[in-house]
Amino acid sequence: MRTLKVFWYAGPKETKVLEIIAMKRNLLLLLCCAFGCFIAAFPCVAQTAVTDGAPRHIVMVLVDALRADHLGCYGYARNTSPFLDQLAAESVLFERAYSQSSFTVESTISLFTSLYPSSNAWGGGQYANTNPEVPDLATLLGSGGYHTAYFSTNPTLDYTALHKSFQEHEFLAKTFDKKSRSPELTARALRFITERKDEKTFMYLHYVSPHTPYTPPDDYYLRFAPEVFPKPLDAIDDVRAHLDTLLEEGFGPGEARFEDLMLRYDAEIALEDDAIRNLFEGMRQLGITEDTLFIFLADHGEEFLEHGFVEHAWSLFPESIHVPLFFWMPKRLAPGRVATPVALVDVLPSILDLAGLPSAPHTVDGVPLFHLENGHWLPRPKEKALISELLNPARNVVRSVVEGDYLYVAATKWLSLKECVEVAQNMSAVRAETLTGTRPSPDPWGPLHYEALFNLKTDPTAKDNVLEQLPEIRDRMRKILGDMKARAPEQVPDPVKICRIPFVITYEMRKFLVEQGYLKPEDMTGPDAAETEELIRGLGYF
């Protein structure tokens, strides 16, 4: 038996392969002639060739500010995630996945570059950005023949250059709206995949509903309560900005306003669960799920007073960095749960492997989570230390290390409750003062103002500091961060990073940047972005 592969080109970079198996040469010629007549009579639709075993479609869904321990598949009692739980049962689920920051921009840049914030000269701080010299996941998949798209309801990511690596992108929200735009995001994703279901595609979807201000529709709230709470607190203006006063009033677990706050958070998780269910149902109707790799994850968690504060981007305790992560790829990944600690920097090399593409050309901090053995992909994560960083000089500057059962936390800037509240009340001024240098920025590798060690096996919520009882482990954790410091590149100054995001620079900022030599005088004529800046200020980020 002989096999002949006949190639023809339907368009640029699109190749279609026909395999005709024939027992005799005259039958082969007859088939080829017949086929030639057929394509002459009918237009053909091009399909992108896919390597054996590689998924045609890769869909990465990130839900912003989603704690792992608020999903049923991670042990949560409240039924927030029935569809995701079902999907997780069919997936390879990593029980102990950690994000590389509790701040969206730092975490997302790490996810897409497989670099810790300090390993990327552009990757740390309030204005973390993509590194012009480092190809990210979208670029690498695009080079591998995938058509890439990025759709998001998180407005803060619009001021990074990440979306520029995608062939298509759209931001569906300019603020953290009180009305969820998740249904719109799902609809946009389905339009894209419908148009390109016969091509190789990579789609990144960034859902944002569990993020503050926690304003779910009433029908989702009423899934978990008999009635809607009459006087809810605003998570930013009331809680974050006045937490010290609220705590004096008894605000906390068991108190009605606190329980309402957490219930609203959970209700928005349920909303996202439905949005992702609808995404999957739409993909199933298109008949593409069997050829899809689906990755589900979060950029960070959320604080609810476990360590004295709320929201995120203030600390690196488990509630802030323990995130969900599972890979779903039917017939190619056998379902199972993996207890080995892993990091979001491991996602990039894992996707490249599963897609049959070369490794990233730059040195990465992540390692593949799967290995091909006897034709089967098996989860084999490497035991290693995992580092997370929060390098926002306006808030806390802190690093953590997870290794085995232990979590180490070390901060060169560590605000008291009163100081956190003061920053929250004056976020815009603090950011401007930090950027212009009128407010000193801490040395990210300077002396420690907070240090702690926790045994997560016996103390999963990290409440009992055993730093002094375990000096050998403490010293090992210090060495891990010391080694990181030795190899870390110097961070690009914030004024340089912000120059790459000019639409958030107001006239006064542009003037300062020109005076400091970061911008040329002719750049002063650019459009003023006061309105955009005001929107971002309202989000608590600028």
Side-chain angles (χ1 to χ4, degrees):
M1 184 177 290
R2 302 177 60 190
T3 300
L4 175 66
K5 290 189 177 182
V6 181
F7 296 81
W8 75 95
Y9 294 90
K13 298 183 180 179
E14 294 179 316
T15 305
K16 189 174 182 180
V17 180
L18 172 67
E19 288 197 358
I20 304 172
I21 301 177
M23 295 294 294
K24 297 180 180 179
R25 182 175 299 177
N26 57 350
L27 178 59
L28 176 61
L29 293 174
L30 179 62
L31 290 172
C32 288
C33 291
F35 186 76
C37 294
F38 177 80
I39 62 172
F42 298 97
C44 63
V45 177
Q47 289 192 344
T48 314
V50 177
T51 305
D52 288 345
R56 182 178 297 279
H57 304 289
I58 302 173
V59 179
M60 184 158 69
V61 169
L62 185 150
V63 175
D64 205 301
L66 177 59
R67 296 167 58 135
D69 63 357
H70 276 239
L71 298 177
C73 52
Y74 284 86
Y76 197 43
R78 188 173 276 164
N79 189 24
T80 57
S81 52
F83 176 72
L84 288 170
D85 297 344
Q86 173 190 337
L87 199 63
E90 302 169 1
S91 305
V92 177
L93 181 146
F94 294 91
E95 296 176 340
R96 296 181 61 198
Y98 295 93
S99 63
Q100 270 46 80
S101 179
S102 57
F103 176 46
T104 293
V105 178
E106 287 180 325
S107 177
T108 308
I109 297 299
S110 284
L111 169 68
F112 272 88
T113 59
S114 190
L115 293 172
Y116 294 133
S118 286
S119 297
N120 176 3
W122 293 77
Q126 171 66 28
Y127 304 105
N129 217 319
T130 54
N131 188 327
E133 299 179 358
V134 174
D136 60 27
L137 178 61
T139 300
L140 296 171
L141 288 174
S143 299
Y146 285 86
H147 188 91
T148 59
Y150 172 11
F151 306 121
S152 172
T153 54
N154 185 322
T156 61
L157 288 171
D158 196 9
Y159 70 79
T160 73
L162 178 62
H163 61 276
K164 295 181 180 179
S165 299
F166 291 79
Q167 292 160 281
E168 297 184 34
H169 76 272
E170 184 175 342
F171 292 92
L172 281 72
K174 293 184 177 180
T175 64
F176 286 103
D177 296 337
K178 291 187 176 182
K179 179 183 177 181
S180 172
R181 295 189 179 274
S182 295
E184 297 173 38
L185 178 54
T186 291
R188 181 66 184 89
L190 288 175
R191 287 200 304 273
F192 168 80
I193 203 70
T194 299
E195 294 167 358
R196 299 187 178 274
K197 66 184 180 68
D198 295 322
E199 302 176 39
K200 292 170 63 178
T201 64
F202 168 59
M203 182 166 58
Y204 172 60
L205 306 178
H206 195 118
Y207 288 84
V208 80
S209 280
H211 196 288
T212 51
Y214 315 146
T215 52
D218 286 353
D219 55 333
Y220 283 94
Y221 188 100
L222 293 173
R223 289 187 183 186
F224 308 116
E227 60 183 6
V228 176
F229 190 70
K231 296 182 179 180
L233 296 175
D234 184 280
I236 296 296
D237 294 338
D238 296 330
V239 180
R240 188 181 75 171
H242 301 283
L243 183 59
D244 51 350
T245 301
L246 289 174
L247 291 174
E248 291 175 359
E249 297 172 357
F251 181 79
E255 195 261 359
R257 295 172 298 176
F258 176 88
E259 295 301 330
D260 165 70
L261 190 75
M262 185 172 287
L263 193 150
R264 283 152 47 197
Y265 173 78
D266 286 344
E268 291 207 325
I269 296 173
L271 186 153
E272 298 295 45
D273 186 73
D274 277 353
I276 297 166
R277 181 198 302 272
N278 293 336
L279 172 68
F280 241 76
E281 288 306 314
M283 292 171 59
R284 282 198 175 103
Q285 291 176 15
L286 292 172
I288 63 173
T289 52
E290 292 299 299
D291 203 11
T292 296
L293 167 62
F294 181 88
I295 306 103
F296 180 79
L297 70 167
D299 54 346
H300 54 75
E302 194 79 339
E303 298 181 49
F304 287 95
L305 294 182
E306 290 85 358
H307 289 87
F309 211 64
V310 292
E311 198 211 5
H312 54 267
W314 298 94
S315 71
L316 297 175
F317 295 112
E319 62 271 15
S320 294
I321 59 172
H322 180 209
V323 294
L325 176 64
F326 59 76
F327 287 69
W328 183 90
M329 188 163 62
K331 300 180 180 179
R332 293 169 187 165
L333 291 177
R337 301 177 72 95
V338 180
T340 305
V342 301
L344 293 192
V345 289
D346 298 331
V347 170
L348 180 150
S350 301
I351 290 177
L352 293 180
D353 274 5
L354 293 171
L357 297 176
S359 300
H362 61 284
T363 300
V364 298
D365 290 314
V367 296
L369 298 175
F370 302 92
H371 292 280
L372 193 60
E373 298 180 14
N374 300 320
H376 299 282
W377 286 106
L378 301 176
R380 293 286 188 271
K382 181 182 178 182
E383 297 267 6
K384 65 182 188 301
L386 312 174
I387 298 173
S388 300
E389 301 180 276
L390 179 61
L391 305 178
N392 188 335
R395 301 193 185 190
N396 289 324
V397 176
V398 57
R399 291 180 175 86
S400 70
V401 181
V402 171
E403 187 177 43
D405 293 332
Y406 291 94
L407 167 68
Y408 173 73
V409 181
T412 60
K413 180 181 178 182
W414 195 249
L415 301 175
S416 66
L417 171 62
K418 181 179 179 181
E419 290 170 328
C420 287
V421 168
E422 289 175 352
V423 169
Q425 291 175 345
N426 302 282
M427 191 67 74
S428 176
V430 170
R431 294 277 169 73
E433 291 168 5
T434 303
L435 180 67
T436 58
T438 56
R439 176 183 289 259
S441 292
D443 179 357
W445 295 106
L448 299 182
H449 295 277
Y450 175 82
E451 189 178 23
L453 179 68
F454 306 97
N455 184 336
L456 296 179
K457 185 174 183 178
T458 60
D459 178 26
T461 58
K463 297 294 181 67
D464 183 17
N465 185 355
V466 295
L467 186 77
E468 298 305 322
Q469 293 96 305
L470 299 171
E472 291 183 3
I473 296 176
R474 176 201 63 200
D475 292 346
R476 173 169 171 75
M477 297 296 198
R478 289 175 177 174
K479 184 178 186 304
I480 289 170
L481 290 183
D483 291 344
M484 182 188 198
K485 176 183 177 182
R487 64 177 183 269
E490 183 178 354
Q491 281 286 310
V492 171
D494 278 351
V496 177
K497 292 174 184 173
I498 203 173
C499 286
R500 297 189 67 203
I501 48 176
F503 76 93
V504 301
I505 305 177
T506 62
Y507 177 85
E508 289 301 321
M509 283 188 177
R510 190 174 281 111
K511 181 178 178 181
F512 164 77
L513 294 172
V514 168
E515 291 171 351
Q516 298 298 312
Y518 292 119
L519 284 179
K520 297 178 181 179
E522 54 265 30
D523 293 327
M524 284 290 290
T525 59
D528 185 84
E531 181 179 353
T532 303
E533 179 190 277
E534 196 60 35
L535 289 173
I536 295 176
R537 265 192 197 140
L539 311 178
Y541 279 100
F542 188 78

